Amino acid sequence: MTLRTARRSSLVDQVIDQLRDEITGGGWPVGGKIPPEPVLSETLGVGRNTVREAVRALTHAGLLESRQGDGTYVRATSELSGAVRRRLETAELVEILEVRRGFEVEAARLAATRRTDADIAAIAVALARRDAAWAAGEHSAFVEADLEFHTAVVEATHNRVLTDLYRDFSAALRASIGAAGSLLEHADVPHGPIAAAIEAGDADAATQATHACLDQILASTVPLSGTAPQET
């Protein structure tokens, strides 16, 4: 066997790359628990200290979270996502919703001019799930379906940067959708006009419908706008 000098600075870097690939590739989903240190050591063929250093580096980067006595969990899919989550943990709800409005209004405008038949179908399915969850009073299912709807709209822009940024923002969005839903009590904000405008290819109507939706949600957060950020 002929060995050659490794291009990477250390074995730890190579292990970091492999662990990161599992995270970004979806092998280890966000919220899921990664294999324990002994298993990773055996699978990768490296010492436990090497695995420990790699896990520590990814934890520092915000991709992993170590829970004392429980194990290590995936926290984010990228360094950017991890940084965004750390920043949003101390943000007020109204601040998160204002940024959300910026994302979703622009996404609706672009989606109306770029959507495909497959995009229209995906948006329609997500809308149906959202409305069904709301009607059934299934709060957690509603939050996921609402986010699925807006994600489908963002994906219809076919702008990879916007889609990646929106996905990085999605954890905080889950919290904002849930909080906004409770503030709105039983007054749902209809999303049908957004879907209809995108399907019709009407960028102005899609922009206006999304703006109206987020403005109504933002208006419901006014009582919270003066509260201090909460540590989580």
Side-chain angles (χ1 to χ4, degrees):
M1 178 183 293
T2 302
L3 299 177
R4 58 188 176 86
T5 303
R7 292 182 179 274
R8 297 304 301 267
S9 60
S10 73
L11 186 59
V12 173
D13 291 328
Q14 296 176 39
V15 173
I16 289 174
D17 281 347
Q18 292 191 65
L19 300 186
R20 184 187 286 111
D21 286 345
E22 288 294 324
I23 296 170
T24 60
W28 296 341
V30 173
K33 186 176 183 179
I34 72 170
E37 187 179 287
V39 174
L40 289 175
S41 176
E42 181 178 355
T43 301
L44 295 167
V46 297
R48 292 180 63 170
N49 285 339
T50 299
V51 171
R52 192 174 300 123
E53 288 186 43
V55 169
R56 186 181 298 119
L58 291 174
T59 299
H60 181 72
L63 275 69
L64 296 176
E65 176 185 11
S66 179
R67 300 178 186 175
Q68 188 67 33
D70 188 15
T72 302
Y73 290 77
V74 178
R75 180 181 176 85
T77 57
S78 69
E79 283 81 354
L80 174 60
S81 179
V84 168
R85 285 196 61 171
R86 287 195 299 272
R87 177 62 189 88
L88 295 181
E89 282 177 351
T90 56
E92 294 185 24
L93 175 59
V94 67
E95 295 175 316
I96 294 172
L97 289 172
E98 286 172 348
V99 175
R100 178 188 172 193
R101 179 173 59 182
F103 273 127
E104 294 180 3
V105 168
E106 177 62 9
R109 184 184 71 81
L110 292 174
T113 61
R114 301 177 180 177
R115 81 287 184 273
T116 64
D117 289 344
D119 293 326
I120 293 172
I123 291 171
V125 168
L127 178 62
R129 289 176 179 168
R130 179 186 184 278
D131 291 347
W134 180 269
E138 298 174 351
H139 184 264
S140 61
F142 171 77
V143 169
E144 290 301 319
D146 187 87
L147 184 55
E148 179 186 349
F149 172 84
H150 291 289
T151 300
V153 171
V154 172
E155 290 178 343
T157 69
H158 298 279
N159 182 315
R160 291 176 298 175
V161 175
L162 178 58
T163 300
D164 287 346
L165 287 173
Y166 192 79
R167 288 189 178 281
D168 288 340
F169 202 65
S170 64
L173 283 180
R174 282 185 173 85
S176 74
I177 293 168
S182 62
L183 287 168
L184 287 169
E185 296 180 346
H186 300 294
D188 180 26
V189 182
H191 282 29
I194 300 174
I198 291 173
E199 182 175 3
D202 190 333
D204 288 340
T207 298
Q208 292 170 11
T210 306
H211 222 303
C213 170
L214 270 298
D215 281 350
Q216 184 172 340
I217 294 174
L218 269 164
S220 72
T221 71
V222 172
L224 295 183
S225 61
T227 60
Q230 299 295 313
E231 294 287 348
T232 59

